Amino acid sequence: MSQESLLSELNDRSREVFRRVVETYLETGEPVGSRTLTRALSERVSAATVRNVMQDLEFMGLLDSPHISAGRLPSQLGLRLFVDGMMEIDAVAPTDREMIDQTVGNDSRDTSALLDRISTALSSITHGASLVLMPKHEAPVRHIEFVSLAPDRALVVLVFADGHVENRLFTPPPGQTPSSMREAGNFLNAMAEGRTLAELRGHISREMAARRAELDALAADLVESGLALWDDGQTDPRLIVRGRANLLDSEAADLDRIRVLFDDLERKRDIVEFLELAEQGEGVRIFIGSENKLFSLSGSALVVSPYMNADRKIVGAVGVIGPTRLNYGRIVPIVDYTAQLVGRVLSGRKG
């Protein structure tokens, strides 16, 4: 049965009972009983009448009844019906808007740093885990440099011809020295001019096969490590995930479920493929429970919105993951505003 048909079957009383159940559940996370609803309804009715309405809503598949309680919870179908047909969208609160705006700063040329700050702010504001899919960068590479941070941590700095800078953190092969890092950088820079990252990746692979003997073994290992970093493999540098700890706070009673979600978040390529679905259309999209094929969990939700470049082409996405008990009315406009802000900044637009 379509959502329109389900909504048309609800009279005013059923609609209000359903809306109150969903709103109370989203606020408290607890099953909602008939006595609680009786006190909240605009119409004076008995608890028995409310129970009958709730039973009808359960028969329609809009509510579920947990074994541990006489109260009701919205089903996944019920949440979808509420989100699409009954939810009231709030305006972005001034404090939230200010916190998002402050992430831009005075220099937005380093896109990865900017989007990292935005992702951190988004997770802090929404108390969920944030996802930011960075745009693919098509400009030619001008300079590549490896920087050692610790024996097991290094940075590759990519400077593009249009001034864009990306810093990518990775684990270098063991035994790297400043000398091997310089040699690897020189080897790559000799081939970089005029080539995009995708073109350079293929060219390096061919050159490595022909010229490996020219490179110190450590430098050769580092170049190959860099190739793996730029590949479309498991660790996709285009995806920024922040705020996993917020999920532990929100679902502390179900740690096993959250561990599975963490495992899903680690499979970054799957998430990138999923977020790229957001690039198929404008506006905020909401995926609830098992509608979201990305996650093994049925108890999670994703609110995601694409953002555009100056040519009005969708180039990336921002999103928030949390339990299905998200405050959708608050989070949807926050995600929408953030996506529009990212689009404006990357396009050099004002306002």
Side-chain angles (χ1 to χ4, degrees):
M1 184 180 295
S2 68
Q3 289 187 12
E4 292 78 8
S5 299
L6 281 171
L7 277 173
S8 67
E9 288 196 14
L10 300 180
N11 58 30
D12 290 344
R13 178 182 295 168
S14 297
R15 187 182 292 255
E16 184 178 8
V17 168
F18 173 66
R19 181 173 59 81
R20 295 281 186 178
V21 169
V22 176
E23 290 177 345
T24 304
Y25 167 72
L26 293 180
E27 182 180 344
T28 66
E30 300 294 332
V32 183
S34 56
R35 291 188 181 277
T36 301
L37 286 177
T38 302
R39 293 191 293 269
L41 293 176
S42 57
E43 178 187 11
R44 290 184 63 85
V45 293
S46 67
T49 299
V50 173
R51 277 196 297 274
N52 289 335
V53 173
M54 293 170 79
Q55 288 172 356
D56 291 341
L57 292 169
E58 186 175 358
F59 180 76
M60 294 172 69
L62 299 178
L63 299 182
D64 286 332
S65 179
H67 298 299
I68 58 172
S69 170
R72 301 298 198 283
L73 303 172
S75 65
Q76 181 177 306
L77 174 63
L79 281 174
R80 171 52 61 189
L81 183 71
F82 173 80
V83 164
D84 289 348
M86 302 176 71
M87 179 175 68
E88 296 181 1
I89 300 293
D90 301 330
V92 181
T95 52
D96 294 337
R97 184 188 297 262
E98 182 180 359
M99 188 172 177
I100 297 168
D101 289 345
Q102 285 177 346
T103 62
V104 175
N106 297 322
D107 182 11
S108 58
R109 291 181 70 84
D110 187 343
T111 301
S112 58
L114 167 68
L115 294 181
D116 185 271
R117 293 195 302 270
I118 285 177
S119 185
T120 300
L122 196 57
S123 68
S124 176
I125 292 167
T126 62
H127 305 294
S130 65
L131 303 177
V132 175
L133 183 63
M134 294 173 57
K136 295 176 182 176
H137 207 78
E138 304 298 338
V141 177
R142 190 173 69 196
H143 182 74
I144 299 170
E145 184 175 350
F146 293 99
V147 180
S148 178
L149 302 177
D152 61 343
R153 292 176 68 220
L155 205 63
V156 59
V157 181
L158 301 171
V159 182
F160 294 85
D162 61 357
H164 171 79
V165 178
E166 286 187 22
N167 299 310
R168 301 184 179 182
L169 191 66
F170 72 107
T171 302
Q176 292 298 319
T177 65
S179 175
S180 65
M181 289 195 166
R182 280 195 303 273
E183 185 178 357
N186 291 338
F187 178 80
L188 294 173
N189 286 319
M191 292 178 283
E193 187 174 0
R195 291 186 171 95
T196 66
L197 202 54
E199 293 167 344
L200 181 59
R201 185 165 53 227
H203 187 68
I204 292 171
S205 296
R206 293 189 296 272
E207 288 294 309
M208 281 294 292
R211 299 170 53 188
R212 186 180 178 95
E214 298 177 21
L215 275 174
D216 175 88
L218 288 175
D221 289 344
L222 189 59
V223 170
E224 290 183 344
S225 179
L227 282 176
L229 179 70
W230 302 331
D231 203 1
D232 293 325
Q234 197 103 345
T235 304
D236 195 304
R238 295 179 58 216
L239 185 72
I240 302 170
V241 182
R242 294 289 179 267
R244 291 179 179 86
N246 289 335
L247 301 176
L248 287 171
D249 293 339
S250 63
E251 295 284 317
D254 200 350
L255 294 180
D256 288 341
R257 220 159 54 81
I258 293 304
R259 287 192 189 98
V260 176
L261 178 54
F262 280 9
D263 290 342
D264 287 331
L265 290 175
E266 290 303 322
R267 291 201 300 273
K268 289 186 173 183
R269 190 168 87 179
D270 297 338
I271 297 178
V272 169
E273 290 173 356
F274 183 78
L275 287 184
E276 285 177 342
L277 294 176
E279 299 178 15
Q280 297 174 1
E282 295 185 37
V284 179
R285 299 179 68 184
I286 302 171
F287 298 88
I288 300 172
S290 60
E291 297 172 353
N292 185 346
K293 302 306 181 186
L294 165 66
F295 301 126
S296 309
L297 301 175
S298 62
S300 59
L302 171 66
V303 180
V304 61
S305 179
Y307 59 85
M308 300 181 183
N309 62 13
D311 299 323
R312 304 296 293 168
K313 177 185 176 185
I314 293 174
V315 293
V318 300
V320 171
I321 298 173
T324 54
R325 191 179 66 81
L326 283 175
N327 184 345
Y328 297 97
R330 175 175 177 261
I331 289 177
V332 166
I334 287 174
V335 170
D336 183 44
Y337 178 77
T338 304
Q340 292 186 41
L341 177 68
V342 171
R344 288 197 303 271
V345 172
L346 296 188
S347 303
R349 299 196 300 271
K350 303 296 183 183

